Amino acid sequence: MTEIEEKATPTENKYSDDDLGILLKHYYKRLFPTKLYHKWLQYGEGTTTFENREFSFTLKDDIYIRYMSFGDASDLDKELQKRVPYKIDIGAVYNHKPKDNKTLQAGVFKPLEKELVFDIDMTDYDDVRTCCSGAAICKKCWPFMNLAIKIIDKVLSDDFGFKHRLWVYSGRRGVHCWVADETARKLTQAGRSAVAEYINVIKGGESQNKKVQFRGTNHELHPSLERAKAHVTKYFNDSYLTDQNILENEEQRELMLKLIPDEKTRKTVSEHWETMGKKASTEELWTYLSQTVEEKHFNKHIADEIMFQYVYPRLDINVSKGLNHLLKSPFCIHPKTGRVCVPINPSKVDDFEPEKVPTISQLMEELDEAKKSSDGNTQDTKDSKEYMSTSLRDSIVLFKKFVTSLDVQLRGDKPAKQENKIDW
């Protein structure tokens, strides 16, 4: 196998490298849903989509291997158990097997397709959350991710007609989305950029204060923005203001005032806030600002633009635009938390709690308990479907529904052959 090996960015593991390696070996042998995984990325019987797919492994001691590829589920399963990757990333489908890229002439090896992907990271919200920063998350700031899933999933479904959308918890502080429809997978870089830019509303660097600017002044919002506004307004007023208390000090108040373009209106709000005193609540301050800009400002959308700037989804847009970008795989184990990168049901996103996502050590304990209660009759193999006795069960069931839906569409009206029925 022709591979590229290099040092990855060092990580601070929750487990020692040796402990994690032992746990991962059992995880890949007993729980990783290899057959379902292969079925998803193969996209139909008789294709070369899976064998021409790039994978990367991050191994013990941060050794990073790119341009890996596998013939089938069995081939992948063997490599997982042999190499025990601490992290798995999925890349594009190429015109040749990625493992053979070094044997090809320059310019011949090219990416053909990849799922349309989205990456949302909590660190991009550090300027608008007061409860945590960096990699830390809590119940007060995780709703940013819930809101992002609600808004983006609706855009992908209603505005673009994409049916096969897999949302996945990153294992620590964010979420990913994999859009697996054929039209999405075949998009050019220009097409991917168009979709990403359509969704992206917050624009501008750190030096730019106002980063949301709707077109026009008193015109109606685009239907997509109007739909998102309902979610944004509800979260902003019902939860965000209370949970983040974003106007509790002078510095934060000045930042919001800068988002009012009209100097006269900005001065009116600032002066009235002074009369309200330092003990005025964030809710009271916001109520006065929103009412004032609506009454005095020529642009009726100023309050909406401010709310969007604070809570609307923040995309890593370059991840969505490029074909060559790799993204962390579903059912990977995050090395810093030990948590599984599990699928999220977008219709039940408010019920998802990242702190309750199973860790690899928890799963191994559950397997041991199940084996004891069955008097040792449970085999140490995935064929026994041991996942049914673990906290990973619902996640695999959700993933299976996603793969089954894809399989049904790919088959059309053809019934599934008995030997081709989806296993886990």
Side-chain angles (χ1 to χ4, degrees):
M1 180 178 292
T2 304
E3 302 158 347
I4 293 179
E5 299 192 8
E6 56 189 82
K7 279 285 184 180
T9 302
T11 58
E12 296 176 4
N13 294 333
K14 177 180 179 181
Y15 308 93
S16 71
D17 278 358
D18 289 339
D19 288 344
L20 184 58
I22 293 170
L23 291 169
L24 283 168
K25 193 171 185 66
H26 286 285
Y27 174 73
Y28 290 127
K29 183 178 182 181
R30 302 170 70 180
L31 288 177
F32 190 85
T34 314
K35 290 182 180 179
L36 270 178
Y37 190 83
H38 168 262
K39 190 74 174 180
W40 163 36
L41 296 174
Q42 186 181 28
Y43 293 107
E45 298 296 327
T47 72
T48 59
T49 306
F50 183 81
E51 60 188 273
N52 285 1
R53 169 83 66 169
E54 179 190 2
F55 294 88
S56 76
F57 284 179
T58 302
L59 308 180
K60 182 181 177 181
D61 298 325
D62 295 310
I63 299 300
Y64 182 55
I65 310 175
R66 277 200 70 174
Y67 300 115
M68 302 184 73
S69 56
F70 311 101
D72 53 24
S74 177
D75 189 16
L76 170 63
D77 205 41
K78 289 176 183 176
E79 287 298 309
L80 289 173
Q81 295 186 47
K82 174 185 174 183
R83 293 181 178 268
V84 195
Y86 284 43
K87 181 170 176 269
I88 307 167
D89 290 291
I90 301 174
V93 178
Y94 285 80
N95 56 342
H96 295 276
K97 295 177 182 178
K99 66 181 181 180
D100 296 335
N101 79 91
K102 286 286 189 179
T103 67
L104 302 171
Q105 293 181 351
V108 172
F109 185 61
K110 296 179 180 179
L112 299 178
E113 66 176 77
K114 190 185 74 171
E115 294 77 13
L116 176 62
V117 296
F118 297 91
D119 182 8
I120 306 158
D121 196 306
M122 190 70 82
T123 55
D124 292 327
Y125 293 79
D126 278 357
D127 63 321
V128 293
R129 60 173 179 155
T130 59
C131 55
C132 304
S133 63
I137 60 171
C138 71
K139 291 183 177 180
K140 288 186 176 182
C141 58
W142 185 257
F144 280 117
M145 297 295 106
N146 293 345
L147 180 67
I149 292 174
K150 289 176 185 177
I151 290 174
I152 296 175
D153 194 66
K154 199 69 174 171
V155 172
L156 296 172
S157 171
D158 291 10
D159 297 355
F160 292 97
F162 295 137
K163 299 178 185 289
H164 306 289
R165 309 173 307 275
L166 180 67
W167 285 96
V168 180
Y169 171 49
S170 71
R172 192 178 194 191
R173 62 177 183 246
V175 295
H176 302 152
C177 181
W178 301 76
V179 186
D181 299 63
E182 183 176 7
T183 51
R185 303 195 315 267
K186 303 288 187 182
L187 282 172
T188 62
Q189 183 162 326
R192 292 167 194 272
S193 297
V195 175
E197 291 292 354
Y198 179 90
I199 296 172
N200 194 39
V201 170
I202 300 173
K203 301 177 181 180
E206 293 182 3
S207 60
Q208 184 173 331
N209 293 317
K210 190 169 174 57
K211 299 177 182 178
V212 176
Q213 180 70 57
F214 298 145
R215 291 183 179 178
T217 55
N218 289 308
H219 300 330
E220 295 302 314
L221 292 178
H222 184 281
S224 181
L225 294 175
E226 191 66 50
R227 185 179 60 228
K229 178 183 169 182
H231 291 295
V232 166
T233 303
K234 178 174 174 55
Y235 170 54
F236 189 90
N237 289 318
D238 293 354
S239 303
Y240 175 73
L241 290 174
T242 303
D243 289 345
Q244 299 298 333
N245 197 16
I246 200 65
L247 298 175
E248 68 177 341
N249 61 51
E250 287 298 323
E251 182 181 359
Q252 292 168 332
R253 295 178 187 185
E254 284 298 318
L255 288 173
M256 185 176 285
L257 287 170
K258 289 178 180 179
L259 302 183
I260 304 174
D262 179 60
E263 184 177 352
K264 185 177 179 180
T265 306
R266 185 166 60 246
K267 184 178 180 181
T268 298
V269 174
S270 178
E271 289 176 348
H272 190 78
W273 276 4
E274 285 291 330
T275 65
M276 293 173 72
K278 293 183 178 180
K279 292 186 178 180
S281 69
T282 290
E283 295 94 320
E284 292 169 332
L285 295 168
W286 168 253
T287 298
Y288 179 77
L289 182 152
S290 59
Q291 291 175 347
T292 302
V293 296
E294 184 175 350
E295 293 170 359
K296 296 181 177 293
H297 205 277
F298 66 93
N299 184 345
K300 71 176 184 178
H301 296 308
I302 291 299
D304 296 335
E305 290 174 347
I306 293 173
M307 288 191 294
F308 270 67
Q309 179 155 334
Y310 275 82
V311 304
Y312 186 84
R314 301 182 170 206
L315 299 176
D316 184 342
I317 200 166
N318 291 322
V319 173
S320 303
K321 289 181 176 181
L323 269 170
N324 290 325
H325 197 286
L326 285 84
L327 189 63
K328 187 190 302 176
S329 167
F331 294 100
C332 191
I333 302 296
H334 196 291
K336 293 186 179 181
T337 64
R339 298 197 185 280
V340 187
C341 299
V342 295
I344 300 172
N345 186 341
S347 65
K348 298 180 179 179
V349 67
D350 287 330
D351 297 331
F352 181 79
E353 299 176 274
E355 70 273 13
K356 292 186 178 179
V357 171
T359 63
I360 187 171
S361 55
Q362 175 188 338
L363 292 171
M364 294 305 109
E365 290 172 3
E366 291 171 350
L367 287 176
D368 290 342
E369 286 300 316
K371 198 166 187 178
K372 289 177 184 177
S373 62
S374 65
D375 298 322
N377 291 326
T378 302
Q379 299 176 10
D380 187 16
T381 171
K382 278 184 280 195
D383 292 337
S384 63
K385 296 187 178 179
E386 289 186 292
Y387 74 89
M388 293 297 291
S389 63
T390 73
S391 303
L392 201 58
R393 177 187 59 192
D394 291 345
S395 298
I396 291 180
V397 169
L398 182 60
F399 184 52
K400 188 170 184 177
K401 288 181 180 178
F402 166 76
V403 177
T404 300
S405 176
L406 262 175
D407 189 54
V408 168
Q409 185 184 53
L410 289 166
R411 289 201 320 266
D413 295 329
K414 297 178 182 178
K417 295 180 181 179
Q418 184 67 30
E419 64 269 21
N420 289 337
K421 283 188 176 180
I422 299 177
D423 199 352
W424 81 287

